Amino acid sequence: MDSHNWRDEVRNWLQQKWQVSPSLIQEAIIFFEKTFTNTRCYDRAWFGIHNEMISLVVGGIFLAALVHSGSDKGIWLLLDQNPPQINGFDYKPVKSTQRSASPLVWAHSVSFDTLNKIIISDEVWLSYTNASEKVLTSSSSSTDRDNVQLRRNKFRLTQIWPIRNDISHDAEQSQPNSGLNVLPVNRLTLHEIAAEINRKSKSYLIGKLQDIRTELKGLARRPGKSIFSSKTISDNWAFHHGGRSELQFNIGWEDTAGLKELRHGVAFSFETSKTLPMIDILVPKVRLFNDFLRLYPELYSDMRMWHYKENRSSDYMPGPISSELVTEGCFVFLGKRQPADNIDYDMILDDFDKLLPLYRYTENNNVSQPVTIPLDAPFTFKSGCTVKASSTVATYTQKQLNVNLRHNELQQALYQHLVSQYGKENVGTEITSGVGTSVDVIVRRDNGYWFYEIKTSLSPRACLREAIGQLLEYAFWPGAQPAIRLVVAGESPIDKDCMEYLRRLNLRFPLPIDYEQIAL
């Protein structure tokens, strides 16, 4: 066994011996990762892969094992006395511990389909943790047998599973009335997180990713069942099955300011490999990615971008990828981060769903009509102001330079001003246009609607340049709600040249476009 590639060897063994599905193979790997992480015998345990079994042992006692043949065939896990009862498992006493004060048992199942029941059970792992500590004192067979293990080509667990700083083996929390210390809830591995995302994705659009890929690429058959596969998950990152030469749905560890976080989102990896010998295939996809973010500049305003090019960049607002970053070895990411010890899977899957239109657009094989974002519900006016994150806690610099905070502040001021003129029942914010976009502020008048688009630039000319195209799309795109007045709103007063520009537009076409200053 190669201590550096134990997962691959487990995978190969299972494919040859059991011929189980890739998803069950991944669960078997997660099963052993759990046994490694939760054992109290970390320095004493040995792991090995042999012809008829894979096992983690201390002395002569199995902590965990997969046995291929004979009467012992199946899944084995050492548990404390009075173990949690799980359907599909029977429980066998560990004979060498029965005369001690802490007799132990093995949970055993012949079916691989029961693996997930163990993996997700906190009670099972608490019982395993306690048992792995007691086995050192409960069994006459638990003494070190280093020479025997070495002859069997086993490896010390310390060689294949380096202990992590975030796991405390001296935790002071204890189970009530047990008299024993137990480990705190350990941080999940990326393999476990990817498996859980796959499992939960069935209730989300992203769960159909492989069907979407089949459709977009005209494949004869679906290339996989899940978002992530065993081939696309490593210890530190994972990307969707088939995503090496695509805009990839990606998760991975980030270490920012000493805080370990999990990222999730989409990425371009310009690192070459056997499956991507050149990055040329990604270049037209970057162009489509950039087109989409120019079309919908605020769609992902709650996310951030960053990149790795020798070093990690700081976070920045989503936008087109510069040509300087499309070079071998660079990694460009769009998404979010969250604490590594408190994973919100629903947020990950919601964001993956939100990023699907970008993926579709980018992976549409350069057809003449790129896929646009899904249409919203039909336009329906609703009065009131959408509550946004307050900017009162931000510093002066943040209020001045953070685009989102500034936009929220301007929107609130404009809303209050329009309410004072036209009544609260006639003013609404963030109203869907009916064509996949939302309008910052709408005023309802007797003869139609006024659409307002807020821009944070101090230059009125920059505001007009950014906003006019959006306002025209809101009002005139097929299926959109028509508007009788289109207003660009900024915080600086309009100048003479901008007034002349609007006069010419209204005279020449005509277009009902105006500019209004927002007074803060």
Side-chain angles (χ1 to χ4, degrees), residues 118-324:
I118 289 181
I119 290 171
I120 65 175
S121 173
D122 292 338
E123 291 182 347
V124 164
W125 295 112
L126 178 61
S127 181
Y128 168 80
T129 296
N130 289 339
S132 71
E133 181 169 17
K134 291 180 180 181
V135 73
L136 298 174
T137 58
S138 299
S139 171
S140 59
S141 304
S142 62
T143 55
D144 286 337
R145 302 165 66 189
D146 294 3
N147 292 334
V148 174
Q149 309 300 358
L150 288 169
R151 285 199 304 271
R152 293 175 177 173
N153 198 30
K154 289 183 181 291
F155 285 86
R156 279 284 193 192
L157 184 54
T158 52
Q159 294 175 266
I160 67 169
W161 191 253
I163 194 165
R164 300 177 310 208
N165 293 330
D166 59 306
I167 300 176
S168 170
H169 287 266
D170 296 313
E172 295 183 356
Q173 294 179 329
S174 61
Q175 184 181 15
N177 303 319
S178 70
L180 288 171
N181 292 335
V182 298
L183 290 173
V185 175
N186 292 316
R187 185 171 294 162
L188 297 171
T189 68
L190 207 67
H191 292 263
E192 293 172 307
I193 293 169
E196 185 66 5
I197 291 172
N198 282 342
R199 188 181 71 82
K200 286 181 171 288
S201 68
K202 297 174 183 177
S203 303
Y204 292 81
L205 294 174
I206 191 66
K208 298 291 185 182
L209 178 61
Q210 298 305 332
D211 292 318
I212 293 169
R213 293 185 65 242
T214 302
E215 171 197 343
L216 287 176
K217 300 175 185 302
L219 304 177
R221 61 184 180 87
R222 187 176 61 179
K225 295 181 180 180
S226 303
I227 302 171
F228 305 107
S229 72
S230 58
K231 295 180 180 179
T232 65
I233 307 171
S234 76
D235 290 346
N236 295 310
W237 43 257
F239 58 86
H240 75 258
H241 181 77
R244 187 65 185 91
S245 59
E246 299 180 1
L247 175 67
Q248 56 184 239
F249 287 91
N250 184 290
I251 60 174
W253 298 125
E254 295 279 338
D255 190 349
T256 54
L259 175 66
K260 191 169 185 179
E261 296 179 303
L262 178 75
R263 69 169 183 256
H264 68 271
V266 292
F268 280 114
S269 176
F270 301 116
E271 187 75 36
T272 55
S273 64
K274 290 182 179 179
T275 54
L276 188 72
M278 299 177 65
I279 66 170
D280 294 9
I281 192 174
L282 294 175
V283 174
K285 300 174 189 287
V286 173
R287 292 183 62 186
L288 289 168
F289 176 97
N290 290 349
D291 285 349
F292 190 93
L293 290 189
R294 291 188 183 102
L295 283 168
Y296 305 104
E298 297 176 3
L299 187 60
Y300 304 119
S301 61
D302 59 334
M303 300 182 186
R304 291 295 178 269
M305 290 181 70
W306 60 90
H307 63 264
Y308 291 87
K309 188 179 182 182
E310 296 181 357
N311 297 301
R312 187 192 189 282
S313 74
S314 58
D315 294 358
Y316 46 91
M317 288 295 293
I321 298 171
S322 67
S323 59
E324 289 80 6

Side-chain angles (χ1 to χ4, degrees), residues 85-96:
Q85 300 297 301
I86 301 177
N87 290 336
F89 283 83
D90 57 344
Y91 297 85
K92 302 178 182 295
V94 180
K95 292 181 180 179
S96 60

Side-chain angles (χ1 to χ4, degrees), residues 289-413:
F289 176 97
N290 290 349
D291 285 349
F292 190 93
L293 290 189
R294 291 188 183 102
L295 283 168
Y296 305 104
E298 297 176 3
L299 187 60
Y300 304 119
S301 61
D302 59 334
M303 300 182 186
R304 291 295 178 269
M305 290 181 70
W306 60 90
H307 63 264
Y308 291 87
K309 188 179 182 182
E310 296 181 357
N311 297 301
R312 187 192 189 282
S313 74
S314 58
D315 294 358
Y316 46 91
M317 288 295 293
I321 298 171
S322 67
S323 59
E324 289 80 6
L325 296 180
V326 188
T327 56
E328 287 189 16
C330 191
F331 178 83
V332 183
F333 189 83
L334 165 63
K336 295 179 182 177
R337 298 189 301 273
Q338 56 181 304
D341 55 359
N342 187 24
I343 306 301
D344 185 339
Y345 293 99
D346 289 323
M347 180 173 74
I348 293 172
L349 291 163
D350 280 336
D351 287 337
F352 278 179
D353 276 4
K354 187 176 179 180
L355 288 161
L356 262 177
L358 173 60
Y359 172 82
R360 282 182 174 273
Y361 193 113
T362 303
E363 295 296 329
N364 73 342
N365 292 324
N366 288 322
V367 297
S368 59
Q369 294 294 325
V371 180
T372 58
I373 64 175
L375 299 184
D376 287 342
F379 173 87
T380 303
F381 179 81
K382 183 179 180 181
S383 61
C385 184
T386 304
V387 178
K388 300 285 187 69
S390 172
S391 63
T392 57
V393 297
T395 65
Y396 173 78
T397 300
Q398 289 172 325
K399 289 181 180 180
Q400 293 298 313
L401 300 180
N402 186 295
V403 173
N404 287 333
L405 293 178
R406 198 66 180 169
H407 184 277
N408 296 347
E409 199 167 9
L410 292 170
Q411 187 179 49
Q412 184 66 230

